[in-house]
Amino acid sequence: MTGPLDRVAPRYGGGSLVDVLPSALTLLGVPGAVDLLDLTPRLAGVRRIAVLLVDGLGWHQIPTAAPYAPTLAGLAATTGVPLTSGFPSTTPTSLVSLGTGTPSGAHGVLGFTVRVPGTDRVLTHVDWSADPDPTRWQPVPTWYERARAAGVAVTVISRPEFAGSGLTLAANRGGDYRGATGVDALAARMLTALAAGAGPTLVSGYHPDLDRHGHLSGIDSAPWRTAAAEVDALLARLVDGLPPDAALLVTADHGQLDIPAGHRVDLDTDPRLRAGVRVVAGEPRVRYLHVEPGAEADVVATWIGVLGGAADVLTRAEAVATGWFGPVPEAHLGRIGDVVVVCRDTYAVVATRSEPPVVSRLVAYHGADTAAEMTVPLLVVRG
């Protein structure tokens, strides 16, 4: 059994988040879709599919949630299998990987924040409107677009404030967008969209609150437990309301790890870690360092010396060679740091002066390749 701090490699093409929509859409007859998750034996004849992504619901968090989420625990025990997210194991990267069915290297949303190549600007993918143009920054067609072109009715349901954002367009373009706040509205809109019409139907839903409370208060905190119970109520309502020819797939974008105060390294208060570094991007568990010309070797040596076993410190070429990102086209390479720092165990690298203060005060983080962060569930329910 894989422990929560064991390292996990993305299983692209046969056991990862990128395989969910192509596998589901095989059942709806979409050209080019391939069932790499072997859903067909369980779901033959299904013509309506709902895919619910619960932000922050890692496979290793399900036992902790079980006392407050009996429906979730039951589904995990009877129908659940673990998948991997992609890398980094972070929300914007995973949402686009789900939508496009490709690893992060292909779609280019390579982290929570990335440097815009040729500039010193750091793009925060969850706070992104029209610059860069989402269809250029993320050039891969989504499976929602491909399904719609094949005659599938496609609806995407998420928070109203996310409508039209850069991340929504990068991940979900092609679906009719419907806003829903809270589990009751989300369940109602998903079931309504699922039942509408007589032809093949795909409904995608997104629920963010478990992740938010994990970040702010920690895994198994009182707010996190309340959020887990709300997820359970959402699942129960969806399961009870599924039409006979429908299926529900439940997955997540990543898990989380609580990070103790003593395991937080502040790059902004240690001059050694700032030396030779021009731009810092990524997030606390996976840092992208863009360095001054000629400084790469010195930055790698310094960060290894300071962090020791708390992180792996690699050049960009070494990081790409691991296969974490899948193939990375030339146009996307500059979004990855010259130096990539992947935290081990329960360590994180914060930046108290160059990032919003709330980031360094969060209790739980994700992004790296531990099982707790990168193993996510796939729960399958037939109506």
Side-chain angles (χ1 to χ4, degrees):
M1 177 67 178
T2 302
L5 295 178
D6 291 342
R7 301 178 69 173
V8 174
R11 297 195 299 269
Y12 301 129
S16 80
L17 192 61
V18 306
D19 306 313
V20 171
L21 285 184
S23 295
L25 291 173
T26 303
L27 298 161
L28 303 186
V30 174
V34 178
D35 183 11
L36 295 170
L37 299 179
D38 200 28
L39 297 178
T40 302
R42 286 180 285 175
L43 301 179
V46 160
R47 301 300 291 160
R48 308 167 193 264
I49 298 176
V51 177
L52 172 67
L53 188 140
V54 180
D55 201 323
L57 182 63
W59 180 257
H60 283 270
Q61 283 75 60
I62 292 176
T64 305
Y68 323 103
T71 303
L72 169 64
L75 291 176
T78 56
T79 77
V81 295
L83 304 178
T84 69
S85 70
F87 184 88
S89 54
T90 196
T91 298
T93 301
S94 290
L95 292 183
V96 182
S97 290
L98 174 68
T100 61
T102 61
S104 55
H107 61 64
V109 179
L110 282 151
F112 192 82
T113 71
V114 299
R115 188 193 72 156
V116 178
T119 77
D120 287 347
R121 175 188 171 195
V122 175
L123 173 65
T124 301
H125 282 118
V126 299
D127 185 21
W128 167 30
S129 54
D131 181 25
D133 178 351
T135 61
R136 292 180 178 272
W137 187 256
Q138 193 297 90
V140 179
T142 72
W143 278 102
Y144 305 111
E145 292 176 297
R146 297 170 72 171
R148 180 178 292 281
V152 177
V154 182
T155 305
V156 173
I157 303 169
S158 185
R159 294 294 169 92
E161 60 268 29
F162 301 153
S165 73
L167 181 57
T168 293
L169 293 174
N172 300 323
R173 59 182 181 256
D176 291 333
Y177 195 92
R178 301 285 185 269
T181 300
V183 296
D184 289 340
L186 178 58
R189 286 194 176 275
M190 288 184 69
L191 291 173
T192 297
L194 201 60
T201 300
L202 174 67
V203 178
S204 174
Y206 171 74
H207 181 63
D209 290 353
L210 190 72
D211 177 71
R212 180 167 62 89
H213 289 295
H215 280 308
L216 294 175
S217 302
I219 300 165
D220 206 24
S221 62
W224 188 91
R225 293 175 180 180
T226 298
E230 291 174 348
V231 169
D232 205 62
L234 172 61
L235 294 182
R237 186 166 172 187
L238 291 173
V239 170
D240 288 346
L242 281 180
D245 61 346
L248 170 67
L249 308 181
V250 182
T251 190
D253 49 352
H254 55 73
Q256 290 183 325
L257 276 174
D258 287 344
I259 304 298
H263 282 191
R264 295 165 187 246
V265 178
D266 188 353
L267 67 88
D268 281 340
T269 60
D270 189 332
R272 296 172 298 173
L273 297 180
R274 268 295 181 179
V277 176
R278 183 180 180 93
V279 175
V280 176
E283 57 194 294
R285 290 282 290 168
V286 177
R287 284 293 175 192
Y288 291 157
L289 310 178
H290 298 270
V291 305
E292 300 289 356
E296 180 182 283
D298 288 341
V299 169
V300 168
T302 297
W303 279 68
I304 289 174
V306 173
L307 295 181
D312 290 340
V313 183
L314 301 87
T315 66
R316 177 192 293 142
E318 290 170 336
V320 170
T322 67
W324 282 329
F325 310 104
V328 185
E330 183 71 28
H332 296 165
L333 282 173
R335 304 178 193 183
I336 302 170
D338 301 301
V339 177
V340 179
V341 181
V342 182
C343 290
R344 304 264 64 87
D345 194 62
T346 55
Y347 286 89
V349 178
V350 298
T352 55
R353 297 172 185 166
S354 51
E355 290 183 329
V358 67
V359 175
S360 62
R361 295 198 295 265
L362 297 176
V363 177
Y365 294 106
H366 49 77
D369 62 340
T370 69
E373 297 161 276
M374 210 159 81
T375 310
V376 299
L378 177 66
L379 315 179
V380 181
V381 184
R382 182 164 186 158

Short mmCIF file of all heavy atoms in Angstrom, two decimals, residues 10 12 18 85-90 92-94 96-98 100-111 137-140 288 323-329 332 335-336:
data_model
loop_
_atom_site.label_atom_id
_atom_site.label_comp_id
_atom_site.label_asym_id
_atom_site.label_seq_id
_atom_site.Cartn_x
_atom_site.Cartn_y
_atom_site.Cartn_z
N PRO A 10 2.96 10.26 -12.49
CA PRO A 10 1.68 10.36 -13.22
C PRO A 10 1.51 9.18 -14.17
O PRO A 10 2.43 8.82 -14.90
CB PRO A 10 1.82 11.67 -14.01
CG PRO A 10 2.92 12.43 -13.36
CD PRO A 10 3.84 11.41 -12.78
N TYR A 12 -0.18 8.81 -17.01
CA TYR A 12 -0.84 9.32 -18.20
C TYR A 12 -1.13 8.17 -19.17
O TYR A 12 -0.28 7.35 -19.45
CB TYR A 12 0.04 10.35 -18.91
CG TYR A 12 0.43 11.55 -18.08
CD1 TYR A 12 1.76 11.95 -17.98
CD2 TYR A 12 -0.54 12.31 -17.41
CE1 TYR A 12 2.12 13.07 -17.25
CE2 TYR A 12 -0.18 13.42 -16.67
CZ TYR A 12 1.16 13.80 -16.59
OH TYR A 12 1.52 14.91 -15.86
N VAL A 18 -6.25 12.67 -16.81
CA VAL A 18 -6.37 13.00 -18.23
C VAL A 18 -7.20 11.97 -18.99
O VAL A 18 -7.69 12.25 -20.09
CB VAL A 18 -4.98 13.16 -18.91
CG1 VAL A 18 -4.11 14.15 -18.18
CG2 VAL A 18 -4.28 11.83 -19.07
N SER A 85 -3.35 12.43 -10.45
CA SER A 85 -3.47 13.70 -11.15
C SER A 85 -2.27 13.81 -12.08
O SER A 85 -1.48 12.87 -12.22
CB SER A 85 -3.47 14.86 -10.16
OG SER A 85 -2.19 15.01 -9.56
N GLY A 86 -2.13 14.94 -12.73
CA GLY A 86 -0.90 15.23 -13.43
C GLY A 86 0.04 15.97 -12.51
O GLY A 86 -0.13 16.02 -11.29
N PHE A 87 1.06 16.57 -13.10
CA PHE A 87 2.05 17.33 -12.35
C PHE A 87 2.19 18.71 -12.96
O PHE A 87 2.24 18.83 -14.18
CB PHE A 87 3.40 16.62 -12.38
CG PHE A 87 4.46 17.28 -11.54
CD1 PHE A 87 4.61 16.97 -10.21
CD2 PHE A 87 5.29 18.25 -12.09
CE1 PHE A 87 5.58 17.57 -9.43
CE2 PHE A 87 6.25 18.88 -11.33
CZ PHE A 87 6.40 18.53 -9.99
N PRO A 88 2.27 19.75 -12.13
CA PRO A 88 2.12 19.76 -10.68
C PRO A 88 0.68 19.41 -10.28
O PRO A 88 -0.26 19.64 -11.05
CB PRO A 88 2.45 21.20 -10.28
CG PRO A 88 3.16 21.79 -11.44
CD PRO A 88 2.62 21.09 -12.64
N SER A 89 0.53 18.88 -9.07
CA SER A 89 -0.79 18.47 -8.59
C SER A 89 -1.49 19.69 -7.99
O SER A 89 -1.63 19.83 -6.78
CB SER A 89 -0.64 17.36 -7.54
OG SER A 89 0.24 17.75 -6.50
N THR A 90 -1.97 20.54 -8.88
CA THR A 90 -2.55 21.81 -8.47
C THR A 90 -3.78 22.10 -9.32
O THR A 90 -3.90 21.59 -10.44
CB THR A 90 -1.50 22.93 -8.56
OG1 THR A 90 -1.92 24.06 -7.83
CG2 THR A 90 -1.21 23.30 -10.01
N PRO A 92 -5.36 24.61 -11.23
CA PRO A 92 -5.46 25.01 -12.64
C PRO A 92 -4.89 23.98 -13.60
O PRO A 92 -5.48 23.71 -14.66
CB PRO A 92 -4.69 26.34 -12.70
CG PRO A 92 -3.99 26.50 -11.42
CD PRO A 92 -4.63 25.61 -10.42
N THR A 93 -3.77 23.38 -13.24
CA THR A 93 -3.17 22.36 -14.09
C THR A 93 -4.12 21.19 -14.27
O THR A 93 -4.35 20.70 -15.38
CB THR A 93 -1.84 21.90 -13.50
OG1 THR A 93 -0.95 23.01 -13.38
CG2 THR A 93 -1.20 20.82 -14.34
N SER A 94 -4.70 20.73 -13.16
CA SER A 94 -5.57 19.55 -13.22
C SER A 94 -6.88 19.83 -13.94
O SER A 94 -7.39 18.97 -14.66
CB SER A 94 -5.85 19.04 -11.80
OG SER A 94 -4.70 18.46 -11.23
N VAL A 96 -7.39 21.82 -16.40
CA VAL A 96 -7.14 21.84 -17.85
C VAL A 96 -6.76 20.45 -18.34
O VAL A 96 -7.13 20.06 -19.45
CB VAL A 96 -6.07 22.89 -18.20
CG1 VAL A 96 -5.85 22.94 -19.71
CG2 VAL A 96 -6.50 24.28 -17.70
N SER A 97 -6.06 19.67 -17.52
CA SER A 97 -5.77 18.29 -17.90
C SER A 97 -7.04 17.48 -18.04
O SER A 97 -7.18 16.67 -18.96
CB SER A 97 -4.83 17.64 -16.87
OG SER A 97 -3.54 18.20 -16.94
N LEU A 98 -7.99 17.67 -17.11
CA LEU A 98 -9.28 16.99 -17.23
C LEU A 98 -9.99 17.41 -18.51
O LEU A 98 -10.46 16.56 -19.28
CB LEU A 98 -10.15 17.30 -16.02
CG LEU A 98 -11.59 16.78 -16.07
CD1 LEU A 98 -11.61 15.26 -15.99
CD2 LEU A 98 -12.43 17.39 -14.95
N THR A 100 -8.91 18.81 -21.33
CA THR A 100 -8.26 18.54 -22.62
C THR A 100 -7.90 17.07 -22.80
O THR A 100 -7.65 16.62 -23.92
CB THR A 100 -6.97 19.36 -22.78
OG1 THR A 100 -6.06 19.00 -21.74
CG2 THR A 100 -7.27 20.85 -22.74
N GLY A 101 -7.80 16.32 -21.68
CA GLY A 101 -7.32 14.95 -21.78
C GLY A 101 -5.85 14.85 -22.12
O GLY A 101 -5.41 13.85 -22.68
N THR A 102 -5.07 15.89 -21.76
CA THR A 102 -3.63 15.89 -22.05
C THR A 102 -2.85 16.27 -20.80
O THR A 102 -3.34 17.00 -19.93
CB THR A 102 -3.28 16.89 -23.16
OG1 THR A 102 -3.64 18.21 -22.75
CG2 THR A 102 -4.00 16.56 -24.46
N PRO A 103 -1.58 15.83 -20.71
CA PRO A 103 -0.72 16.27 -19.62
C PRO A 103 -0.41 17.76 -19.70
O PRO A 103 -0.64 18.42 -20.73
CB PRO A 103 0.54 15.43 -19.80
CG PRO A 103 0.14 14.28 -20.64
CD PRO A 103 -0.95 14.81 -21.54
N SER A 104 0.17 18.28 -18.64
CA SER A 104 0.39 19.72 -18.54
C SER A 104 1.35 20.25 -19.58
O SER A 104 1.21 21.39 -20.05
CB SER A 104 0.90 20.08 -17.14
OG SER A 104 2.07 19.33 -16.82
N GLY A 105 2.34 19.46 -19.97
CA GLY A 105 3.28 19.93 -20.98
C GLY A 105 2.59 20.30 -22.27
O GLY A 105 2.95 21.29 -22.93
N ALA A 106 1.58 19.52 -22.67
CA ALA A 106 0.87 19.76 -23.92
C ALA A 106 -0.02 20.99 -23.83
O ALA A 106 -0.04 21.82 -24.75
CB ALA A 106 0.06 18.54 -24.31
N HIS A 107 -0.79 21.11 -22.74
CA HIS A 107 -1.73 22.23 -22.69
C HIS A 107 -1.12 23.52 -22.17
O HIS A 107 -1.66 24.61 -22.40
CB HIS A 107 -3.00 21.87 -21.92
CG HIS A 107 -2.82 21.49 -20.48
ND1 HIS A 107 -2.35 22.36 -19.52
CD2 HIS A 107 -3.12 20.33 -19.82
CE1 HIS A 107 -2.36 21.76 -18.33
NE2 HIS A 107 -2.80 20.53 -18.49
N GLY A 108 0.00 23.45 -21.46
CA GLY A 108 0.75 24.65 -21.12
C GLY A 108 0.36 25.36 -19.84
O GLY A 108 1.01 26.33 -19.46
N VAL A 109 -0.68 24.89 -19.15
CA VAL A 109 -1.03 25.47 -17.85
C VAL A 109 -0.21 24.69 -16.81
O VAL A 109 -0.69 23.76 -16.18
CB VAL A 109 -2.53 25.42 -17.59
CG1 VAL A 109 -2.89 26.00 -16.24
CG2 VAL A 109 -3.26 26.19 -18.69
N LEU A 110 1.03 25.10 -16.64
CA LEU A 110 2.06 24.28 -16.02
C LEU A 110 2.26 24.57 -14.53
O LEU A 110 3.27 24.17 -13.97
CB LEU A 110 3.37 24.46 -16.77
CG LEU A 110 3.43 23.68 -18.08
CD1 LEU A 110 4.31 24.35 -19.10
CD2 LEU A 110 3.91 22.27 -17.81
N GLY A 111 1.29 25.22 -13.90
CA GLY A 111 1.40 25.46 -12.48
C GLY A 111 0.37 26.45 -12.00
O GLY A 111 -0.38 27.03 -12.80
N TRP A 137 -2.78 30.75 -25.18
CA TRP A 137 -2.00 30.24 -24.06
C TRP A 137 -2.23 28.74 -23.87
O TRP A 137 -1.31 28.00 -23.57
CB TRP A 137 -2.38 31.02 -22.81
CG TRP A 137 -1.56 30.73 -21.59
CD1 TRP A 137 -1.92 29.99 -20.51
CD2 TRP A 137 -0.24 31.21 -21.30
NE1 TRP A 137 -0.91 29.97 -19.58
CE2 TRP A 137 0.13 30.71 -20.03
CE3 TRP A 137 0.67 32.02 -22.00
CZ2 TRP A 137 1.36 31.00 -19.44
CZ3 TRP A 137 1.90 32.30 -21.41
CH2 TRP A 137 2.23 31.79 -20.15
N GLN A 138 -3.48 28.31 -24.03
CA GLN A 138 -3.85 26.88 -23.94
C GLN A 138 -4.44 26.49 -25.28
O GLN A 138 -5.63 26.64 -25.50
CB GLN A 138 -4.85 26.67 -22.80
CG GLN A 138 -5.06 25.21 -22.39
CD GLN A 138 -5.66 24.32 -23.49
OE1 GLN A 138 -4.92 23.72 -24.28
NE2 GLN A 138 -6.98 24.26 -23.54
N PRO A 139 -3.64 25.92 -26.20
CA PRO A 139 -4.09 25.73 -27.58
C PRO A 139 -4.80 24.41 -27.87
O PRO A 139 -5.29 24.21 -28.98
CB PRO A 139 -2.77 25.78 -28.37
CG PRO A 139 -1.76 25.19 -27.41
CD PRO A 139 -2.19 25.66 -26.04
N VAL A 140 -4.87 23.49 -26.91
CA VAL A 140 -5.40 22.16 -27.17
C VAL A 140 -6.93 22.20 -27.13
O VAL A 140 -7.52 22.73 -26.18
CB VAL A 140 -4.89 21.15 -26.12
CG1 VAL A 140 -5.46 19.76 -26.38
CG2 VAL A 140 -3.36 21.12 -26.12
N TYR A 288 9.23 27.29 -9.31
CA TYR A 288 9.92 27.55 -10.57
C TYR A 288 10.81 28.78 -10.38
O TYR A 288 10.30 29.87 -10.08
CB TYR A 288 8.91 27.83 -11.69
CG TYR A 288 8.08 26.65 -12.13
CD1 TYR A 288 6.84 26.85 -12.75
CD2 TYR A 288 8.51 25.34 -11.96
CE1 TYR A 288 6.07 25.78 -13.17
CE2 TYR A 288 7.74 24.27 -12.38
CZ TYR A 288 6.52 24.49 -12.98
OH TYR A 288 5.74 23.44 -13.40
N GLY A 323 9.49 13.02 -16.99
CA GLY A 323 8.19 12.67 -17.51
C GLY A 323 7.03 13.24 -16.72
O GLY A 323 5.87 12.98 -17.05
N TRP A 324 7.29 14.04 -15.67
CA TRP A 324 6.23 14.63 -14.88
C TRP A 324 5.20 15.36 -15.73
O TRP A 324 4.00 15.28 -15.49
CB TRP A 324 6.80 15.65 -13.90
CG TRP A 324 7.46 15.10 -12.67
CD1 TRP A 324 7.14 13.95 -12.00
CD2 TRP A 324 8.54 15.72 -11.95
NE1 TRP A 324 7.95 13.82 -10.90
CE2 TRP A 324 8.81 14.87 -10.85
CE3 TRP A 324 9.28 16.87 -12.13
CZ2 TRP A 324 9.81 15.18 -9.92
CZ3 TRP A 324 10.27 17.18 -11.21
CH2 TRP A 324 10.53 16.33 -10.12
N PHE A 325 5.69 16.12 -16.72
CA PHE A 325 4.82 16.99 -17.51
C PHE A 325 4.31 16.34 -18.79
O PHE A 325 3.54 16.95 -19.52
CB PHE A 325 5.57 18.28 -17.91
CG PHE A 325 6.26 18.99 -16.79
CD1 PHE A 325 7.64 18.90 -16.63
CD2 PHE A 325 5.54 19.76 -15.89
CE1 PHE A 325 8.28 19.57 -15.60
CE2 PHE A 325 6.18 20.43 -14.86
CZ PHE A 325 7.55 20.33 -14.70
N GLY A 326 4.75 15.11 -19.08
CA GLY A 326 4.54 14.57 -20.41
C GLY A 326 5.42 15.33 -21.40
O GLY A 326 6.27 16.14 -21.01
N PRO A 327 5.26 15.11 -22.70
CA PRO A 327 6.05 15.87 -23.67
C PRO A 327 5.76 17.36 -23.57
O PRO A 327 4.60 17.77 -23.43
CB PRO A 327 5.59 15.30 -25.03
CG PRO A 327 5.02 13.95 -24.70
CD PRO A 327 4.40 14.09 -23.34
N VAL A 328 6.80 18.17 -23.66
CA VAL A 328 6.66 19.63 -23.55
C VAL A 328 7.13 20.27 -24.84
O VAL A 328 8.32 20.21 -25.17
CB VAL A 328 7.47 20.19 -22.36
CG1 VAL A 328 7.20 21.69 -22.21
CG2 VAL A 328 7.14 19.46 -21.07
N PRO A 329 6.22 20.88 -25.62
CA PRO A 329 6.67 21.54 -26.85
C PRO A 329 7.52 22.76 -26.54
O PRO A 329 7.45 23.33 -25.45
CB PRO A 329 5.35 21.94 -27.52
CG PRO A 329 4.35 22.00 -26.43
CD PRO A 329 4.77 20.98 -25.41
N HIS A 332 6.17 25.90 -24.80
CA HIS A 332 5.78 25.88 -23.39
C HIS A 332 6.96 25.74 -22.44
O HIS A 332 6.77 25.86 -21.22
CB HIS A 332 4.79 24.74 -23.15
CG HIS A 332 3.50 24.91 -23.86
ND1 HIS A 332 2.59 23.87 -24.02
CD2 HIS A 332 2.94 25.99 -24.47
CE1 HIS A 332 1.55 24.30 -24.70
NE2 HIS A 332 1.74 25.58 -24.99
N ARG A 335 7.79 28.40 -19.69
CA ARG A 335 6.89 28.57 -18.55
C ARG A 335 7.37 27.77 -17.34
O ARG A 335 6.92 28.02 -16.22
CB ARG A 335 5.47 28.13 -18.94
CG ARG A 335 4.94 28.86 -20.16
CD ARG A 335 3.54 28.38 -20.56
NE ARG A 335 3.19 28.86 -21.89
CZ ARG A 335 2.02 28.66 -22.48
NH1 ARG A 335 1.08 27.97 -21.85
NH2 ARG A 335 1.78 29.14 -23.70
N ILE A 336 8.23 26.81 -17.56
CA ILE A 336 8.87 26.05 -16.47
C ILE A 336 10.13 26.80 -16.06
O ILE A 336 10.84 27.36 -16.91
CB ILE A 336 9.21 24.62 -16.95
CG1 ILE A 336 7.95 23.90 -17.43
CG2 ILE A 336 9.90 23.83 -15.84
CD1 ILE A 336 8.24 22.58 -18.12
#
